[in-house]
Amino acid sequence: MKVRWLPVLAAFVVAGTTGCQAGTGPSAGGAAAATGSPAQARAQLAELVIQPRNGMGGYSREKFPHWATVAGECDTRETVLKRDGKDVRTDDQCRAVSGTWYSPYDGGTWTKASDVDIDHTVPLAQAWRSGAASWTTDRRKEFANDLTRPQLRAVTDNVNQAKGDKAPDEWRPPLESDWCGYAADWITVKHYYRLTVIDAEKQALTDMLTHC
């Protein structure tokens, strides 16, 4: 059984006199939500409802309020940068001014926060097309800022941009070694939020789980 763990999550060092401190807010544990086991992912995948994707009518990123304040000056993006980074130092506005970030999607390592995006494992538009259009704004805000499920990851910015709003039947991480963990993350999030999948998406996830 192969379970993905990001190798840089252990450090959660924060500098500055008034910046967000380690041990504050939802990320107090200092580690991202662990990827579920392949067996659990397969079981959850079998429970997902297969349904055609809805259209994009009415969609707007503003309908998924982010980034939300976590504690003090720190919002969700800054919290994930600290959680997923190593030796991260912040200024008095909680902005990361130094650190190292490893991107599980492509294996890239970065030393500037500007080279890193916070990816929604299940993109906002993808969620909209698979059930979130009927949610309340509060529910969409929870989804967009979820620090409990494996929904938010610090990744290489241009890789995140290449992914865009694509589902696994349209895009996979460049690193084949990440396919198992990525599929399990995607399934965990969709299962928790009761989002639907299409046949091609389910088949792609099934194939990715064979790499576990």
Side-chain angles (χ1 to χ4, degrees), residues 32-129:
T35 297
S37 71
Q40 180 184 44
R42 292 186 183 97
Q44 291 182 339
L45 178 58
E47 295 174 356
L48 295 180
V49 174
I50 297 175
Q51 183 173 299
R53 288 176 185 148
N54 299 319
M56 292 291 288
Y59 171 75
S60 168
R61 288 180 64 85
E62 284 67 40
K63 293 185 178 181
F64 293 79
H66 66 290
W67 303 109
T69 298
V70 175
E73 298 292 328
C74 304
D75 65 20
T76 312
R77 171 182 164 79
E78 292 148 352
T79 300
V80 175
L81 282 173
K82 288 186 295 181
R83 183 197 70 187
D84 287 7
K86 180 179 181 181
D87 299 328
V88 178
R89 298 174 65 86
T90 61
D91 62 16
D92 60 2
Q93 294 183 300
C94 202
R95 295 174 299 197
V97 295
S98 64
T100 303
W101 291 270
Y102 170 81
S103 171
Y105 291 174
D106 62 323
T109 299
W110 308 98
T111 56
K112 294 193 301 183
S114 59
D115 290 326
V116 177
D117 281 353
I118 306 305
D119 177 52
H120 289 96
T121 299
V122 177
L124 307 183
Q126 174 61 216
W128 181 269
R129 299 188 67 191

Side-chain angles (χ1 to χ4, degrees), residues 1-6 34-42 102 104 153 175-185 188 207-212:
M1 177 185 302
K2 180 169 65 178
V3 178
R4 182 183 68 176
W5 296 91
L6 298 188
T35 297
S37 71
Q40 180 184 44
R42 292 186 183 97
Y102 170 81
R153 298 288 189 190
L175 277 184
E176 188 173 315
S177 59
D178 191 52
W179 287 4
C180 170
Y182 183 76
D185 288 352
T188 296
D207 176 66
M208 292 167 76
L209 289 175
T210 66
H211 292 262
C212 295

Side-chain angles (χ1 to χ4, degrees), residues 117-177:
D117 281 353
I118 306 305
D119 177 52
H120 289 96
T121 299
V122 177
L124 307 183
Q126 174 61 216
W128 181 269
R129 299 188 67 191
S130 55
S134 64
W135 292 352
T136 64
T137 299
D138 285 345
R139 184 63 165 171
R140 289 194 288 264
K141 180 178 180 181
E142 176 190 354
F143 176 85
N145 298 276
D146 192 343
L147 292 167
T148 302
R149 264 63 54 183
Q151 167 66 343
L152 300 172
R153 298 288 189 190
V155 301
T156 302
D157 56 0
N158 61 352
V159 174
N160 182 51
Q161 290 154 21
K163 172 186 172 180
D165 296 328
K166 300 179 180 72
D169 53 302
E170 304 164 312
W171 183 91
R172 301 183 186 190
L175 277 184
E176 188 173 315
S177 59

